[in-house]
Amino acid sequence: MLANYYFSAGDLKAGEETTKIGVRICNNKLNKVNLTEYVREGYSLEKALLLSERLDAKGKYKEAEPYRRVSVKLFDKHYQTKNRKGYFTFRRRLAMNLAHQGKFLEAEIELRQVLTETIGLSGKNSIETGRTLDAFGIVLLMQGRLEDTEKMV
């Protein structure tokens, strides 16, 4: 998370250094033989998140996409009944990654699925639904679809 805050603040150097340290720690843990599958996947998730954030921050969206997909898959597997908020966040980040690559249809499909789940779990007026609508609006604006964005409001 610290690396992500650095990237968000525009401090790419500190974000890069923090990412390197985090990936090194994950790799050291993943090289241990006696890890349970759950723990191994936890470190794989953290590593994928670090790498995807770093690549997205550098504008290397295509390279980041596989890491985004791994993080969504592992997060969904390990947090099916708890921390859905985190899962929604990583699905939205995947959608934004796709949109930055010009894969707008895929991005919209991701966001529609997240929107359906957020409304089902927490209602139309929840913060998670609002965050998903916000991401959806950004994707529509990236396509120049102002009218569609206005309809969402």
Side-chain angles (χ1 to χ4, degrees), residues 1-141:
M1 286 302 261
L2 180 59
N4 191 33
Y5 290 128
Y6 283 132
F7 291 132
S8 295
D11 190 345
L12 296 180
K13 184 178 177 184
E16 185 73 34
E17 193 58 37
T18 305
T19 297
K20 285 179 186 176
I21 293 167
V23 168
R24 187 171 51 244
I25 290 169
C26 289
N27 285 337
N28 287 340
K29 297 292 184 178
L30 288 167
N31 287 330
K32 295 188 182 218
V33 181
N34 59 348
L35 294 179
T36 65
E37 179 183 357
Y38 181 82
V39 172
R40 183 170 302 284
E41 288 180 344
Y43 285 114
S44 296
L45 169 63
E46 291 300 324
K47 182 179 174 180
L49 291 173
L50 284 164
L51 293 172
S52 65
E53 293 295 337
R54 180 183 75 188
L55 291 166
D56 271 357
K58 291 180 170 185
K60 296 182 178 182
Y61 301 109
K62 186 173 184 171
E63 292 175 46
E65 182 183 345
Y67 295 113
R68 289 275 178 217
R69 291 190 184 280
V70 165
S71 66
V72 166
K73 178 182 173 188
L74 291 173
F75 213 96
D76 186 37
K77 179 179 179 182
H78 291 283
Y79 297 99
Q80 287 183 356
T81 58
K82 58 181 180 178
N83 199 5
R84 292 310 276 175
K85 202 161 69 168
Y87 171 69
F88 299 147
T89 298
F90 295 120
R91 292 271 315 258
R92 286 190 296 265
R93 288 182 179 172
L94 171 60
M96 295 310 297
N97 171 283
L98 294 167
H100 283 290
Q101 294 180 67
K103 298 179 180 180
F104 296 115
L105 182 58
E106 287 181 69
E108 286 188 39
I109 290 169
E110 282 292 324
L111 290 169
R112 287 182 198 283
Q113 291 171 350
V114 174
L115 189 59
T116 299
E117 195 170 346
T118 59
I119 290 171
L121 286 176
S122 44
K124 287 182 181 181
N125 296 321
S126 73
I127 190 71
E128 289 307 313
T129 298
R131 288 178 176 141
T132 305
L133 286 170
D134 179 54
F136 213 127
I138 291 168
V139 170
L140 293 173
L141 285 173

